[in-house]
Amino acid sequence: MSQVPDARPMESLPPRLIHLRARAVWVAGAALVLIVASFWSLDLQWRAFWSRDSAAAMARFALEFFPPDTSPWFVRKVLLATGETVAMSALGTLLAASFGLLLALPAARTHARAYWRVPTRMLLNALRAIPELVWASLLLIAAGLGPMAGTLALAVHTTGVLGRLFAEAIENAPPGPGFALRAQGARPAQVLLYATLPQVAPQLLSYALYRWENNIRAASILGVVGAGGLGQLLAFHMSLFQMTRTATVLLAMLALVLAVDAASYWARRAMTR
């Protein structure tokens, strides 16, 4: 009978693999320490959360959402807010993809000089470090209440995210076609247009679609600070404790997210065929 060979001893492993294993152990240990410290530092009252009184209170609160309000005038109002949410997310994502690509070129190591790359990456880090809700709260001062502030907030934050993703995609593009064009005397702009971008275009589009999915969810929440869409309806009716209408808005949010997820899935699947 053939015996299963023993695992290779550490001495027979390449030094690089040993170093990677040691680094993985340290990272896993640090993550475990962080998780334990988080549970220890937070005042999590699990016993009160799972008590009979808490369960009864949550059940009474959940029953207040039924039945959802399906009156024609309110359903029409929810549909208009849903369209506003879709428009905010689509326009915000389109603006972010355009500006993100413009900023990705000086941020990429393969298509920018060093003195442009560092400040551009710092700008992208600053744009995505501030959440959409904070951007919306700041832009409400300039744009006022309504979807304008929400659209700009989505565009600014997503520009930072897509700019970084686009830059990494450009850096990881196969260099062969670019080298071939440079050998024929092509200029850097021609290399970018005819070699790099055609190779990474499906990946850039996939990133943009994924961020559109996220922006649908974000646009549904931005209305909480007065930025329009379904979120504004949600905040308004929850503040008045109109739970049946709140349930209708929540169902619209759920249906919208499911529809966008399905559409984005089929679009990405069509691109990869």
Side-chain angles (χ1 to χ4, degrees):
M1 295 178 62
S2 60
Q3 297 181 352
V4 178
D6 296 334
R8 292 191 300 171
M10 291 293 292
E11 292 78 5
S12 62
L13 294 176
R16 184 173 180 274
L17 185 57
I18 296 176
H19 178 68
L20 289 177
R21 284 188 174 184
R23 182 181 298 179
V25 170
W26 279 107
V27 171
L32 181 61
V33 170
L34 181 61
I35 293 172
V36 173
S38 300
F39 274 96
W40 177 77
S41 61
L42 296 176
D43 185 19
L44 301 177
Q45 300 177 1
W46 294 108
R47 182 175 298 179
F49 181 77
W50 295 109
S51 66
R52 181 178 299 178
D53 293 339
S54 296
M58 287 188 291
R60 288 194 301 269
F61 181 70
L63 289 175
E64 294 179 2
F65 287 87
F66 296 97
D69 188 347
T70 57
S71 55
W73 72 270
F74 186 69
V75 171
R76 190 180 306 111
K77 186 178 181 180
V78 171
L79 290 176
L80 290 175
T82 302
E84 192 173 78
T85 298
V86 174
M88 287 169 53
S89 63
L91 182 56
T93 305
L94 180 61
L95 292 174
S98 303
F99 288 110
L101 182 59
L102 291 177
L103 291 175
L105 299 179
R109 293 184 177 87
T110 54
H111 288 275
R113 299 181 184 273
Y115 54 79
W116 281 111
R117 185 169 64 248
V118 174
T120 306
R121 285 181 172 262
M122 291 179 64
L123 174 61
L124 293 175
N125 290 338
L127 293 178
R128 71 173 180 272
I130 302 176
E132 297 95 333
L133 271 175
V134 179
W135 277 119
S137 301
L138 296 173
L139 291 169
L140 282 174
I141 302 173
L145 295 175
M148 182 67 177
T151 303
L152 292 178
L154 291 174
V156 172
H157 176 80
T158 310
T159 295
V161 177
L162 289 181
R164 176 63 181 272
L165 294 175
F166 288 176
E168 291 180 354
I170 292 172
E171 290 175 355
N172 295 325
F179 287 151
L181 287 180
R182 291 188 187 94
Q184 298 298 321
R187 291 174 294 182
Q190 294 174 319
V191 173
L192 177 66
L193 291 175
Y194 296 105
T196 305
L197 287 183
Q199 294 181 94
V200 300
Q203 190 175 1
L204 302 188
L205 185 58
S206 179
Y207 284 147
L209 287 174
Y210 175 70
R211 284 305 307 179
W212 183 45
E213 295 179 31
N214 293 339
N215 284 344
I216 284 283
R217 300 177 180 88
S220 301
I221 302 301
L222 288 181
V224 174
V225 295
L230 287 171
Q232 190 164 345
L233 272 185
L234 179 66
F236 176 75
H237 292 293
M238 283 194 69
S239 64
L240 297 178
F241 297 98
Q242 297 174 344
M243 295 308 173
T244 56
R245 293 178 181 176
T246 300
T248 305
V249 177
L250 291 175
L251 288 175
M253 286 182 174
L254 178 62
L256 179 60
V257 170
L258 291 177
V260 171
D261 284 348
S264 180
Y265 168 76
W266 288 109
R268 288 197 300 267
R269 185 177 180 182
M271 285 190 304
T272 55
R273 286 181 176 178

